[in-house]
Amino acid sequence: MQEIIYKITDPRGIHARPAGQLVKLIKEYKSTCQLGSATNLVDGKHLLSVMKLSLQQGDSLTLQFSGADEKEAADAVLKFLQENL
Amino acid sequence: MFGLDKLFSQKTPSFNLVSPLDGELIDKSAIPDPTFVEGILGPTAGFNPAVGVIYAPCDGKITQMFRTGHALTITSLFGAEILIHVGINTVDLKGKGFKPLVNEDADVKQGDPLIEFDIPAIKEAGFSLEVPLVICNPDDFKKIEFVAPTQVKAGDPICTLEK
């Protein structure tokens, strides 16, 4: 399992557009991804669930990847988060 | 063979979504936001609203009312997961000009009013008012087809989905 914990810096938080981009990227990998706040993780490949987290600036986003390409998935998603959120 | 004729006469299950507003249905390429033009969130149609009310495009449950009232997601009874986003970059209005009319998790009927929005105020604040409607779970359907760009009234059929 690969885990990322990332603090959201974008003042808009994870609204519709970044949620869509994030889910699209996660879907490119075979590994499963659970993401959310530490106490509420949802399927990272399910757009409506990811949007519903409505994470805001300052919130911590936890992502857990499991599967054959978990390292690649975690690296790519961390890069996306750093560049966009 | 008892029942076999029934099996073969069964049609592919097909479902309709209706227009969520009075106005004009436009091609997604006319929405001034690449996220929607490229369909990153899923198959997309756009609308130019003539009146500032969003109505339910189907029977279903409100999955999410965005805290700023500028967007919502609804899961239809037949399983389509739909995002309706009022205006472009309107998250930045922080709720100004938007009035949610239903709560999250509410069961709604096709045609129920969901969001009221103030078209002149939002335009005056410098925002574009296209309303993208996105099917967010296209993998659950064999076919998703929007009608061609046209004038629409709330309740007119705008999309056919087949499982």
Side-chain angles (χ1 to χ4, degrees):
Chain A
M1 203 258 284
Q2 292 277 324
E3 184 171 86
I4 298 171
I5 296 174
Y6 182 82
K7 194 168 184 178
I8 313 274
T9 60
D10 190 310
R12 296 181 187 87
I14 302 190
H15 58 104
R17 181 187 304 127
Q21 290 167 330
L22 179 61
V23 170
K24 183 169 184 276
L25 178 61
I26 290 170
K27 276 180 157 177
E28 287 173 16
Y29 296 88
K30 288 202 176 70
S31 295
T32 62
C33 174
Q34 295 285 309
L35 64 82
S37 61
T39 51
N40 179 27
L41 294 176
V42 301
D43 179 0
K45 296 186 179 182
H46 187 235
L47 178 56
L48 262 59
S49 299
V50 174
M51 280 195 290
K52 194 170 179 174
L53 291 169
S54 53
L55 292 169
Q56 303 298 309
Q57 184 179 32
D59 289 348
S60 275
L61 171 64
T62 300
L63 305 100
Q64 298 171 346
F65 297 87
S66 292
D69 56 2
E70 60 187 34
K71 180 81 172 70
E72 293 88 332
D75 288 349
V77 169
L78 180 60
K79 184 163 177 281
F80 170 83
L81 292 171
Q82 287 167 341
E83 287 170 0
N84 295 284
L85 284 163
Chain B
M1 294 287 280
F2 184 68
L4 203 61
D5 54 334
K6 204 174 172 184
L7 186 71
F8 281 112
S9 70
Q10 249 180 13
K11 285 184 186 159
T12 317
S14 145
F15 311 94
N16 277 314
L17 297 180
V18 301
S19 176
L21 51 72
D22 293 341
E24 184 188 6
L25 189 154
I26 56 173
D27 189 78
K28 68 179 192 300
S29 62
I31 304 170
D33 181 335
T35 312
F36 297 112
V37 173
E38 291 162 22
I40 285 172
L41 311 183
T44 302
F47 296 87
N48 277 322
V51 182
V53 184
I54 299 295
Y55 300 92
C58 53
D59 294 351
K61 192 186 248 309
I62 302 299
T63 307
Q64 181 182 8
M65 175 63 73
F66 283 55
R67 64 179 69 187
T68 47
H70 74 287
L72 62 85
T73 59
I74 175 170
T75 302
S76 82
L77 287 186
F78 60 85
E81 301 179 350
I82 302 151
L83 168 72
I84 300 174
H85 195 286
V86 183
I88 302 303
N89 289 323
T90 38
V91 63
D92 290 339
L93 281 167
K94 300 190 170 78
K96 199 168 159 264
F98 296 96
K99 186 178 168 199
L101 303 176
V102 287
N103 293 321
E104 213 154 276
D105 297 325
D107 291 312
V108 296
K109 289 277 175 205
Q110 178 182 310
D112 284 354
L114 306 179
I115 295 176
E116 244 176 54
F117 55 105
D118 185 337
I119 294 178
I122 295 165
K123 279 194 173 152
E124 205 165 291
F127 290 84
S128 205
L129 252 171
E130 288 81 359
V131 177
L133 179 150
V134 185
I135 312 295
C136 297
N137 62 332
D139 299 346
D140 293 344
F141 295 92
K142 273 203 301 229
K143 193 175 114 185
I144 298 174
E145 206 169 85
F146 289 104
V147 301
T150 178
Q151 296 294 322
V152 287
K153 288 270 178 205
D156 290 351
I158 52 136
C159 182
T160 308
L161 302 99
E162 278 177 18
K163 278 205 169 169

